[in-house]
Structure formats: structure tokens, C-alpha cells
């Protein structure tokens, strides 16, 4: 199992803990390579890494964080907007995520 926790001993930095579902013991902690405020992790079906969709400004990105502690990769260019509830297909070949955009218009009425 995986969960986020704030490491208060290290300048209040968010990390991911991997916990054994068999005995509840901590297996390892994973550092996030950059500040991520959207906490929506998903295991890849292979179990080899955790994925996290996040956005910087309006740019969507995908973080792939290997559970063995090796360096993370970031995939850019997933669209403009925000996202939530991303999920892998059962075979791990596809990644489904909604792209949420917000439009704001200003209308000025005069002489009515």
C-alpha cells in the first residue's frame, strides 16, 4: 500500500510511504522530485511504479515514481487544465485522465 505523509523532521516535506499489506510494516519511503500538491497516486498495474498526475500552472504532467527508489521520470505535454481521478488500464498500456478546463468571460452591458 502507498500513502502520503508529511515528514515533519525534514522541513515539512511531503513523501510517499510504502507499507506492507501483510504486516503493516514500513517498506520504504519515496521522495517526490518536486513539490506536488495534488495527492492522487495510482499504482501501475505492474506494481513497479507509482504514478501521479499533476499540473504546473495549466500544464498537465505525469510523474512516474519507481517503488525501488530509482529516479523518477516526468512526462510532459498531457494538455492544459487540471485533472483528477486518473487511472491505468488493467494491462498498464493506457492511462486515462480527464482534462478539466475553466472558461471565464467578461461581458459589459451598456445603454440598456
Amino acid at each position: 500500500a502507498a500513502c502520503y505523509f508529511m515528514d515533519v523532521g525534514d522541513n515539512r516535506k511531503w513523501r510517499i510511504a510504502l507499507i506492507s499489506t501483510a504486516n503493516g510494516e514500513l517498506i520504504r519511503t519515496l521522495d517526490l522530485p518536486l513539490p506536488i500538491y495534488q495527492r492522487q497516486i495510482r499504482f501501475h498495474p505492474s506494481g513497479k511504479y507509482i504514478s501521479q498526475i499533476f499540473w504546473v500552472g495549466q500544464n498537465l504532467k505525469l510523474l512516474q515514481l519507481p517503488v525501488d527508489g530509482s529516479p523518477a521520470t516526468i512526462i510532459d505535454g498531457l494538455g492544459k487544465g487540471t485533472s483528477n481521478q486518473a487511472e491505468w488500464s488493467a494491462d498498464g498500456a493506457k492511462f486515462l485522465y480527464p482534462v478539466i478546463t475553466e472558461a471565464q468571460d467578461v461581458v459589459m452591458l451598456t445603454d440598456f
Side-chain angles (χ1 to χ4, degrees):
C3 65
Y4 286 96
F5 73 99
M6 182 173 283
D7 189 344
V8 294
D10 188 20
N11 298 323
R12 302 183 58 84
K13 183 177 179 180
W14 283 102
R15 292 197 165 123
I16 295 175
L18 299 177
I19 302 167
S20 169
T21 57
N23 59 19
E25 292 184 15
L26 178 66
I27 297 170
R28 87 171 27 96
T29 61
L30 302 174
D31 289 329
L32 297 167
L34 67 160
I36 294 179
Y37 304 102
Q38 307 84 16
R39 290 181 290 278
Q40 302 172 23
I41 54 178
R42 296 287 185 268
F43 271 101
H44 184 269
S46 69
K48 293 181 180 179
Y49 59 88
I50 294 171
S51 59
Q52 162 77 55
I53 196 159
F54 68 101
W55 53 93
V56 177
Q58 287 289 309
N59 298 313
L60 286 170
K61 301 179 181 207
L62 178 65
L63 170 67
Q64 294 180 326
L65 191 60
V67 297
D68 66 2
S70 57
T73 58
I74 296 174
I75 299 171
D76 290 319
L78 300 181
K80 300 260 185 214
T82 61
S83 188
N84 59 22
Q85 301 301 319
E87 195 59 70
W88 286 100
S89 62
D91 64 0
K94 297 176 186 161
F95 187 68
L96 177 68
Y97 60 96
V99 176
I100 303 166
T101 58
E102 181 179 316
Q104 296 180 352
D105 294 322
V106 176
V107 177
M108 181 168 62
L109 300 173
T110 61
D111 300 326
F112 60 96

